[in-house]
Amino acid sequence: MPDSMPQLTLHDSRRRATVPFAPLDPGNVRVYYCGPTVYDLAHIGNLRAMMTADILVRLLRHLYPHVTYVRNITDVDDKINARARANGETIDSLTARTIRDFHDDLAAVGVLPPDVEPRATRHIAEMIALIECLIASGHAYEAQGHVLFAVARFPDYGALSGRSPDDLLAGARVEVAPYKRDAGDFVLWKPSEPGLPGWESPWGRGRPGWHIECSAMSHRYLGESFDIHGGGSDLLFPHHENELAQSQCCFPRGRFANHWVHNAMLLVNGEKMSKSLGNFLTIRDVLADTPAEALRLMLLHAQYRSVLNFTRAGLDEAKQTLNRFYRAVGDLPPDAAGPVPGAVVAAMCDDLNTPRALAEMHGLADRALAGDRGAARGLRAAGRLLGLLGQSADTWFRAGAGVGEAEIDALIAERLAARAARDFARADAIRAGLAERGIVLEDGAGGTIWRRA
Ligand SMILES: [Zn+2]
């Protein structure tokens, strides 16, 4: 590791502090992220978690010689069973299609695939082994075909999410299943009725609970202790708390995850995204009229631990930024990147401070637009670190990718108004600005029409 290498600091949810990141093995940094439950298209809140993982892993790969990034797929779940039945299709067809769509959507936004993408249904034996270990050590019990984790047997339960036993009781003030000793006990294994996915086990034919899947798959590919476990803040409790409890009780000498990374939630127009509010957006909904790179850049506008407010104005701003960056790199091809400028690496090492990294890129663009080729190469390199600017400027502008139809219509209306007000300088500036972005205006008897050049 060169002396000049910047120190990465990351917020750790367990320590509730931003601390220097020190890998257990600098020769192989190990990262686990909870992947999707595959019953529907990924939404932009899911994307924010996958993007946080993506920029974290990209940075780790820049800093360390080798990174092992594991992101699982949950392909056995009650939601999957219910959706397949509602759709009138088989579970295999639903999960296969959803996994394909998930991969396509993430690839469109430049999210790199993990090194290992284990599927829960292919690791049932590992889950059964962990559950047997928990029963043997007195941390789990069998009741009415179910196996439950006994939270009372793990004194550290609640330490990760910072919940007190009282909070936990309040959270569990719902009808408690009769087979539970304690309201907070959670399912490791449950019986499966005929017609639903199930596997033979010491407790009869059944299927695993969600939490044990991640404990089993992270152990299989990353061992008893690994460096970083991440996911959305909505996973902190109960999912991650339960994963930690299971793994710590099975492997008391290990630490499970050394460092916990959680991204904040995403709002849409200032409100929590929900189907009932009509502001629920899948990745595909956004990509229908927005270049994927603009969506990616917009998700970097906020540091991952800040709430991100998704708006059309934010997407437009991202498009304008990309127009500016691509003008600044000019004819420099994507592979002509120089070293990543130190200020950009330093910003990313500051707990993935993407707003600061983008501000540094604007500074590089200033210099590049003033004719500094070195700054243009630095901008290309910074783009590569953040998964941006992967195409030639010509391709970006020729696709008219930076301009959406609504924006063009608005600019045409603004130009018309400017002409009516005899502000011909403004009208000409709008036409020239669009031309620079590959949009040609043609005035005719019927009004103004536009086409992509
Ligand atoms: Zn998980």
Side-chain angles (χ1 to χ4, degrees), residues 44 46-59 61 69 71 103-113 266 282-283 286-287 290-304 308 310-311 314-319 321-322 325-326 348 352 354-355 358 361 381-391 396 401:
I44 57 175
N46 304 138
L47 177 60
R48 189 174 196 206
M50 298 297 100
M51 277 283 298
T52 302
D54 188 58
I55 58 161
L56 171 60
V57 169
R58 284 171 185 267
L59 178 64
R61 291 209 170 110
Y69 171 33
R71 186 186 69 206
H103 287 159
D104 289 351
D105 290 351
L106 290 196
V109 192
V111 173
L112 299 174
L266 175 144
T282 65
I283 299 171
V286 177
L287 296 188
T290 302
E293 197 174 351
L295 172 57
R296 181 177 179 91
L297 176 58
M298 197 209 149
L299 290 170
L300 303 177
H301 279 169
Q303 194 254 10
Y304 74 100
L308 176 72
F310 180 94
T311 61
L315 275 183
D316 284 341
E317 187 192 329
K319 280 187 245 174
T321 297
L322 286 167
F325 287 173
Y326 276 112
M348 293 304 289
L352 309 179
T354 49
L358 291 172
M361 289 174 72
R384 196 155 63 189
L385 179 64
L386 272 73
L388 294 168
L389 305 180
Q391 48 195 324
W396 167 262

Side-chain angles (χ1 to χ4, degrees), residues 11-66:
H11 190 269
D12 176 24
S13 305
R14 176 149 61 178
R15 281 170 277 191
R16 290 177 246 300
T18 303
V19 296
F21 172 72
L24 298 166
D25 172 6
N28 182 18
V29 180
R30 287 163 290 158
V31 181
Y32 186 90
Y33 252 78
C34 299
T37 300
V38 285
Y39 65 100
D40 207 347
L41 290 169
H43 59 68
I44 57 175
N46 304 138
L47 177 60
R48 189 174 196 206
M50 298 297 100
M51 277 283 298
T52 302
D54 188 58
I55 58 161
L56 171 60
V57 169
R58 284 171 185 267
L59 178 64
L60 291 169
R61 291 209 170 110
H62 180 77
L63 298 175
Y64 296 97
H66 186 72

Side-chain angles (χ1 to χ4, degrees), residues 145-215:
H146 294 71
V147 182
L148 293 129
F149 184 91
V151 293
R153 299 301 308 275
F154 182 53
D156 277 350
Y157 191 77
L160 170 62
S161 57
R163 300 210 173 194
S164 71
D166 290 347
D167 292 340
L168 298 176
L169 279 179
R173 207 169 287 151
V174 287
E175 199 181 331
V176 178
Y179 46 78
K180 287 190 181 183
R181 285 183 197 160
D182 250 317
D185 292 354
F186 56 89
V187 168
L188 302 171
W189 188 264
K190 63 181 176 185
S192 233
E193 44 278 42
L196 285 180
W199 291 264
E200 291 309 323
S201 81
W203 320 286
R205 183 177 177 277
R207 56 190 196 270
W210 175 35
H211 316 303
I212 197 72
E213 296 179 8
C214 287
S215 284

Side-chain angles (χ1 to χ4, degrees), residues 95-379:
T95 55
R97 183 182 68 252
T98 308
I99 291 169
R100 217 164 41 236
D101 290 344
F102 177 72
H103 287 159
D104 289 351
D105 290 351
L106 290 196
V109 192
V111 173
L112 299 174
D115 300 295
V116 188
E117 192 170 47
R119 292 176 62 157
T121 51
R122 294 176 191 169
H123 297 80
I124 301 292
E126 287 91 335
M127 295 171 206
I128 289 175
L130 281 196
I131 297 169
E132 286 182 310
C133 157
L134 288 169
I135 293 175
S137 64
H139 293 101
Y141 58 95
E142 186 188 357
Q144 298 177 26
H146 294 71
V147 182
L148 293 129
F149 184 91
V151 293
R153 299 301 308 275
F154 182 53
D156 277 350
Y157 191 77
L160 170 62
S161 57
R163 300 210 173 194
S164 71
D166 290 347
D167 292 340
L168 298 176
L169 279 179
R173 207 169 287 151
V174 287
E175 199 181 331
V176 178
Y179 46 78
K180 287 190 181 183
R181 285 183 197 160
D182 250 317
D185 292 354
F186 56 89
V187 168
L188 302 171
W189 188 264
K190 63 181 176 185
S192 233
E193 44 278 42
L196 285 180
W199 291 264
E200 291 309 323
S201 81
W203 320 286
R205 183 177 177 277
R207 56 190 196 270
W210 175 35
H211 316 303
I212 197 72
E213 296 179 8
C214 287
S215 284
M217 289 185 276
S218 61
H219 178 252
R220 165 87 160 72
Y221 294 100
L222 298 175
E224 295 183 8
S225 304
F226 54 93
D227 294 297
I228 298 174
H229 192 317
S233 55
D234 54 328
L235 296 187
L236 180 55
F237 186 88
H239 184 53
H240 287 166
E241 191 76 59
N242 293 355
E243 282 185 32
L244 176 62
Q246 296 160 162
S247 295
Q248 288 272 262
C249 292
C250 260
F251 311 112
R253 280 176 306 182
R255 190 174 160 75
F256 194 43
N258 207 22
H259 207 113
W260 289 85
V261 171
H262 290 99
N263 60 279
M265 67 190 304
L266 175 144
L267 301 177
V268 173
N269 299 320
E271 292 185 290
K272 193 172 173 192
M273 189 165 70
S274 81
K275 284 188 172 150
S276 58
L277 282 174
N279 65 353
F280 187 90
L281 289 170
T282 65
I283 299 171
R284 280 176 192 212
D285 291 334
V286 177
L287 296 188
D289 60 0
T290 302
E293 197 174 351
L295 172 57
R296 181 177 179 91
L297 176 58
M298 197 209 149
L299 290 170
L300 303 177
H301 279 169
Q303 194 254 10
Y304 74 100
R305 288 197 296 123
S306 305
V307 170
L308 176 72
N309 188 22
F310 180 94
T311 61
R312 281 282 145 195
L315 275 183
D316 284 341
E317 187 192 329
K319 280 187 245 174
Q320 302 303 339
T321 297
L322 286 167
N323 286 333
R324 186 164 191 275
F325 287 173
Y326 276 112
R327 268 202 304 279
V329 295
D331 56 6
L332 200 65
D335 59 2
V340 185
V344 175
V345 178
M348 293 304 289
C349 283
D350 174 16
D351 199 20
L352 309 179
N353 193 332
T354 49
R356 202 176 115 200
L358 291 172
E360 293 292 346
M361 289 174 72
H362 272 291
L364 290 164
D366 289 340
R367 286 162 46 203
L369 287 165
D372 179 342
R373 296 286 282 180
R377 272 192 289 276
L379 183 57

